[in-house]
Amino acid sequence: EPRSPCCCLAWTLVIGTMNSLVFLLNLLLMFVIFTIVLLPTIVVVYFGFQCHSQVLHSSAHYCKSILDDNSSSALIILGFVIMSPLLVVAMAIYCSLARRLQLLVCFQPYSLALYKGAPCCARGCNTQLKAWV
């Protein structure tokens, strides 16, 4: 049974807000996971750029006594080399958490705003929908 225009608009706003919140939750989870997993790369590249004389050339004690231009260049290269496997690990962790928490199932279709009740159940299709096969 179709909803009235005012009710349809209200449900569209509710579903849109809920989908936006789920999207932001997914984005926040992805940002936290990628930041934690890529932290070694971030630190290594930061120190490489900080101590290189052509970039920032910091006057910190460790830059003068330990790191010269060659070792700073090696740190920068090492950071970018270890980034690829860490990106794969971060994506695997995010996908496994999204699957375990069923975050992608939380998105609601906008057809719920148009009709009263669940449209899929009214047609007699399978209610056991899975986002992951």
Side-chain angles (χ1 to χ4, degrees), residues 68-80:
D68 59 354
D69 280 350
N70 292 333
S71 58
S72 296
S73 297
L75 282 179
I76 294 168
I77 292 168
L78 175 69
F80 285 113

Side-chain angles (χ1 to χ4, degrees), residues 13-26 107 110:
L13 291 175
V14 168
I15 290 172
T17 303
M18 189 173 73
N19 285 343
S20 298
L21 289 175
V22 170
F23 173 75
L24 289 175
L25 177 69
N26 276 309
F107 288 105
Y110 283 103

Side-chain angles (χ1 to χ4, degrees), residues 104-121:
L104 300 177
V105 179
C106 296
F107 288 105
Q108 296 297 319
Y110 283 103
S111 61
L112 292 177
L114 299 176
Y115 299 101
K116 293 180 182 177
C120 186
C121 296

Side-chain angles (χ1 to χ4, degrees), residues 12-126:
T12 302
L13 291 175
V14 168
I15 290 172
T17 303
M18 189 173 73
N19 285 343
S20 298
L21 289 175
V22 170
F23 173 75
L24 289 175
L25 177 69
N26 276 309
L27 201 62
L28 178 68
L29 181 66
M30 188 181 295
F31 176 75
V32 167
I33 289 172
F34 274 72
T35 302
I36 291 171
V37 171
L38 292 175
L39 191 61
T41 298
I42 295 167
V43 169
V44 167
V45 170
Y46 171 76
F47 281 117
F49 278 125
Q50 184 182 13
C51 294
H52 199 280
S53 65
Q54 299 296 323
V55 184
L56 293 177
H57 194 59
S58 175
S59 61
H61 174 67
Y62 54 85
C63 286
K64 292 180 180 178
S65 63
I66 299 173
L67 297 174
D68 59 354
D69 280 350
N70 292 333
S71 58
S72 296
S73 297
L75 282 179
I76 294 168
I77 292 168
L78 175 69
F80 285 113
V81 166
I82 65 173
M83 185 186 303
S84 296
L86 289 179
L87 280 172
V88 172
V89 168
M91 196 57 170
I93 291 171
Y94 168 73
C95 287
S96 109
L97 273 176
R99 183 176 183 186
R100 184 170 297 149
L101 298 175
Q102 297 181 352
L103 292 177
L104 300 177
V105 179
C106 296
F107 288 105
Q108 296 297 319
Y110 283 103
S111 61
L112 292 177
L114 299 176
Y115 299 101
K116 293 180 182 177
C120 186
C121 296
R123 289 184 299 213
C125 58
N126 188 5

